[in-house]
């Protein structure tokens, strides 16, 4: 009898081994201690191109007028809107060889970049006398004498990232980012529309210090300008 009791106790002890599992705040399994979450930056952008292939959940697109360049893979979602002119035609209207304008959400994490289609605008097609279909070009408008042509507004994209401040001035902040291309420092313009938050309060840019860990919402334009819309201090720099 004593031998049976000892055997049962040993089995219970073996069955009671605790395996540590990392949990998130809601109690679900999460990352184990010591792992770091990759930084993901996303921004909206648009480009034109020709569809090379159409799949069930993605299309391959050659940007610009290239016929031999490497195609970009653009994911299709149930929320992707496909239009031809002012008419919504649906994803089923996509076909290889079509020219289109793509509004996408581009997200980058390290060396990985994912493009997700928000809207696809197919070029209108007209029948020619030869029975073929072509894409009509945009009619050129000649300016009247004494009238100057207005430049087209830039199409800017919005993005977000967590980063460390390197330098702070009254009209700009310099941040440091690390990606597959290495570590870079770049400047973001600060304007009167920039919102700065620290400790749940709106503050001035003068409160920011080099070394602060911040979350930045920014706007980047094709001209190369980058402007900060919102800066939130996540962790203040250590006091010297």
């Amino acid at each position: 009898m004593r031998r049976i009791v000892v055997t049962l106790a040993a089995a219970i002890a073996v069955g009671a081994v605790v395996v540590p599992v990392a949990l998130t705040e809601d109690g679900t399994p999460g990352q184990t201690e010591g792992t770091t979450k990759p930084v993901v930056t996303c921004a909206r952008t648009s480009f034109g191109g020709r569809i090379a292939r159409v799949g069930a959940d993605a299309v391959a697109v050659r940007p610009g007028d290239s016929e031999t360049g490497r195609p970009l893979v653009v994911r299709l979602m149930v929320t992707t809107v496909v239009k031809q002119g002012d008419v919504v035609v649906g994803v089923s209207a996509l076909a290889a060889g079509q020219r289109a304008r793509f509004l996408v959400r581009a997200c980058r994490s390290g060396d990985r970049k994912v493009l997700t289609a928000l809207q696809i605008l197919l070029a209108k097609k007209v029948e020619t006398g030869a029975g073929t279909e072509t894409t009509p070009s945009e009619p050129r408008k000649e300016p009247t004498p004494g009238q100057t042509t207005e430049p087209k507004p830039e199409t800017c994209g919005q993005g977000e990232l967590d980063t460390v401040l390197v330098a702070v001035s009254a009209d700009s902040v310099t941040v440091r980012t690390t990606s597959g291309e290495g570590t870079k420092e770049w400047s973001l313009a600060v304007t009167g529309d920039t919102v700065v938050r620290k400790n749940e309060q709106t503050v001035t840019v003068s409160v920011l210090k080099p070394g602060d860990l911040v979350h930045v919402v920014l706007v980047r334009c094709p001209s190369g300008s980058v402007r900060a819309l919102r800066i939130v201090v996540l962790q203040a720099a250590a006091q010297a």
Side-chain angles (χ1 to χ4, degrees):
M1 176 64 71
R2 180 176 300 174
R3 181 179 299 173
I4 295 175
V5 172
V6 171
T7 303
L8 288 175
I12 294 172
V14 171
V17 174
V18 177
V19 178
V21 177
L23 299 179
T24 59
E25 291 182 357
D26 60 0
T28 58
Q31 293 180 321
T32 56
E33 185 177 356
T35 61
T36 57
K37 185 177 180 181
V39 176
V40 179
T41 58
C42 297
R44 290 189 178 190
T45 186
S46 63
F47 64 90
R50 186 181 297 276
I51 299 175
R53 293 186 304 275
V54 179
D57 56 1
V59 293
V61 184
R62 287 193 172 93
D65 297 324
S66 173
E67 298 294 340
T68 59
R70 182 178 179 182
L72 301 176
V73 176
V74 181
R75 296 173 54 197
L76 301 175
M77 308 292 288
V78 293
T79 55
T80 301
V81 177
V82 183
K83 301 177 69 176
Q84 191 159 36
D86 297 327
V87 180
V88 177
V89 293
V91 176
S92 60
L94 300 176
Q98 288 179 312
R99 293 199 61 82
R101 189 79 185 171
F102 293 81
L103 173 63
V104 301
R105 179 176 175 85
C107 294
R108 181 184 293 275
S109 176
D111 294 332
R112 186 185 178 193
K113 186 175 182 180
V114 177
L115 302 178
T116 303
L118 303 177
Q119 185 178 86
I120 302 174
L121 182 60
L122 297 175
K124 292 183 179 180
K125 295 181 179 181
V126 296
E127 293 187 359
T128 65
T132 59
E133 292 185 339
T134 60
T135 302
S137 58
E138 187 72 18
R140 182 179 178 182
K141 296 180 180 180
E142 297 292 340
T144 57
Q147 180 184 9
T148 58
T149 57
E150 296 182 0
K152 294 183 178 180
E154 287 186 305
T155 302
C156 303
Q158 182 172 312
E160 302 181 23
L161 75 158
D162 294 342
T163 184
V164 176
L165 295 180
V166 178
V168 179
S169 69
D171 56 1
S172 69
V173 295
T174 302
V175 300
R176 180 183 293 122
T177 59
T178 303
S179 65
E181 300 177 353
T183 300
K184 295 183 179 180
E185 294 183 1
W186 39 292
S187 178
L188 288 76
V190 175
T191 68
D193 296 328
T194 303
V195 177
V196 182
R197 300 276 293 175
K198 182 176 182 180
N199 297 329
E200 303 298 330
Q201 295 181 346
T202 300
V203 296
T204 62
V205 69
S206 61
V207 174
L208 301 176
K209 304 296 181 185
D212 285 349
L213 175 63
V214 295
H215 178 79
V216 181
V217 180
L218 56 87
V219 171
R220 185 192 302 237
C221 296
S223 62
S225 65
V226 184
R227 174 169 53 91
L229 294 179
R230 184 179 179 89
I231 304 174
V232 181
V233 178
L234 303 177
Q235 182 177 336
Q239 298 293 330

